[in-house]
Amino acid sequence: MARKKLKWSDMRPSEKRDHVIYLIGQILKWLFVGSMCIFTLYPVVYTLLGSFKTNAELTLGGNFLPENWQFNNYVYAFQKLDFGKYFLNSVVLALLTVVFTLITSSMAAYVISRRDFVGKKLISTAYLLSMFISVGSVALYPLYTLMSRLGLTKNMVGLALMLTGGQAANIFMISGFINGVPKDLDEAATIDGAGPFRIFWQIIVPAIKPILGVIALFAFRQAWNEFVTAQVFTMANPGLKTLSVAVANLRYSANAAAEWHIMTAGASIALLPILLVYLVANRQFIAGLTAGAVKG
């Protein structure tokens, strides 16, 4: 039987006080959530709308909505500034980084979690320590020199390898999932004649798909938004510029003062794919985080 809702006049003083506190808490909660949504979405909406404005509207700060929708901004960006090629470069870089990240992190996590070898504890400790060390831009020059000596500076493979990195955090996240897979499955597969790679591919990988989806999303976002490493890597090869580098370079071009509307158009082009990827992978992302919380 449903509990009858008490009227305000029928409530005791203590119940009125609790009800008022509850209402105040709900109001504050939704005010906080609403303000966070506004602060998060406003730059995105402003950029998208700004990409359809004239330079004068952006510079002088006119109406929030464009007076006349300037679709030619996108036409100019693709036809005159070659943003189509830069967009393709970013797609190739992001996909390569995702593939390299998933392969290296999953295999390394499998070996650390399931295999016994000399120096295992030392390697695990070194990976753990590397999570708290950030070399930043200091490593750019030696990394570029290494890629140059390997002949990987004339394509996106070298840049993707640089962005892949050591994967310490990803390895430990995947290891947590692998540790939740019963080892009895490995033993049963070994009895049936399966080797380590077959066990990894047919048993471990299907069991850790949620966390792999999360890591793939993070890797795609990192590669798509990367600027400093991509800027340094493409200085000698302008044809390899990514979209983020091309948009940022507009600011330092000879006509930068007259191209703010083109910059917002380029930023919108760079913004939409990552939003679409998140919308498509949203369910997998939430499933991965939820599964990780349950395992933890």
Side-chain angles (χ1 to χ4, degrees), residues 3-293:
R3 185 178 178 182
K4 186 178 180 180
K5 189 175 181 180
L6 293 176
K7 296 181 180 180
W8 179 264
S9 58
D10 297 333
M11 292 182 182
R12 295 193 299 269
S14 59
E15 293 176 333
K16 291 181 179 180
R17 183 182 66 253
D18 294 340
H19 186 66
V20 170
I21 293 175
Y22 172 78
L23 290 177
I24 293 175
Q26 291 295 309
I27 293 172
L28 292 177
K29 179 183 72 174
W30 287 110
L31 284 176
F32 175 77
V33 173
S35 60
M36 290 297 100
C37 289
I38 292 174
F39 282 119
T40 303
L41 295 177
Y42 179 79
V44 177
V45 175
Y46 182 84
T47 301
L48 292 175
L49 293 177
S51 65
F52 295 103
K53 294 181 179 181
T54 63
N55 185 67
E57 287 182 85
L58 284 172
T59 306
L60 300 177
N63 297 327
F64 184 72
L65 294 174
E67 294 182 3
N68 296 306
W69 294 78
Q70 304 294 322
F71 295 96
N72 287 333
N73 292 345
Y74 288 90
V75 176
Y76 181 84
F78 277 101
Q79 291 185 351
K80 301 296 183 181
L81 300 180
D82 216 4
F83 269 33
K85 180 176 69 175
Y86 303 141
F87 180 87
L88 182 60
N89 288 342
S90 293
V91 171
V92 173
L93 174 63
L95 293 179
L96 284 175
T97 304
V98 168
V99 172
F100 292 160
T101 298
L102 292 179
I103 291 175
T104 56
S105 60
S106 61
M107 286 188 170
Y110 169 68
V111 170
I112 291 176
S113 299
R114 286 294 208 259
R115 315 304 296 180
D116 293 323
F117 54 91
V118 178
K120 176 179 177 179
K121 291 185 177 179
L122 179 62
I123 293 176
S124 299
T125 303
Y127 264 112
L128 183 62
L129 291 176
S130 67
M131 294 174 60
F132 303 95
I133 301 175
S134 177
V135 293
S137 58
V138 176
L140 286 178
Y141 178 74
L143 284 174
Y144 182 82
T145 302
L146 176 62
M147 293 296 108
S148 178
R149 291 179 178 177
L150 293 175
L152 295 176
T153 57
K154 297 181 180 180
N155 51 59
M156 284 295 177
V157 175
L159 180 55
L161 289 173
M162 291 173 66
L163 295 180
T164 301
Q167 304 298 320
N170 293 338
I171 289 172
F172 278 96
M173 285 193 293
I174 297 176
S175 296
F177 273 73
I178 294 178
N179 291 334
V181 179
K183 290 186 178 180
D184 295 341
L185 298 175
D186 297 27
E187 296 173 358
T190 302
I191 294 175
D192 291 338
F197 181 78
R198 186 177 175 185
I199 294 174
F200 167 76
W201 183 251
Q202 294 186 350
I203 297 177
I204 300 300
V205 171
I208 62 174
K209 279 184 179 180
I211 191 61
L212 292 181
V214 174
I215 290 175
L217 181 60
F218 285 159
F220 187 93
R221 183 195 63 178
Q222 175 198 1
W224 188 268
N225 295 328
E226 179 60 37
F227 171 72
V228 176
T229 304
Q231 170 82 342
V232 173
F233 189 87
T234 59
M235 280 183 177
N237 299 281
L240 296 179
K241 282 183 183 178
T242 60
L243 198 54
S244 60
V245 174
V247 172
N249 286 348
L250 284 176
R251 186 176 180 181
Y252 307 104
S253 64
N255 300 322
E259 292 180 351
W260 286 103
H261 55 312
I262 305 302
M263 288 184 63
T264 54
S268 298
I269 296 171
L271 181 65
L272 289 176
I274 193 65
L275 291 178
L276 292 176
V277 168
Y278 176 76
L279 290 175
V280 172
N282 181 44
R283 183 173 299 179
Q284 182 75 10
F285 178 72
I286 298 300
L289 293 182
T290 304

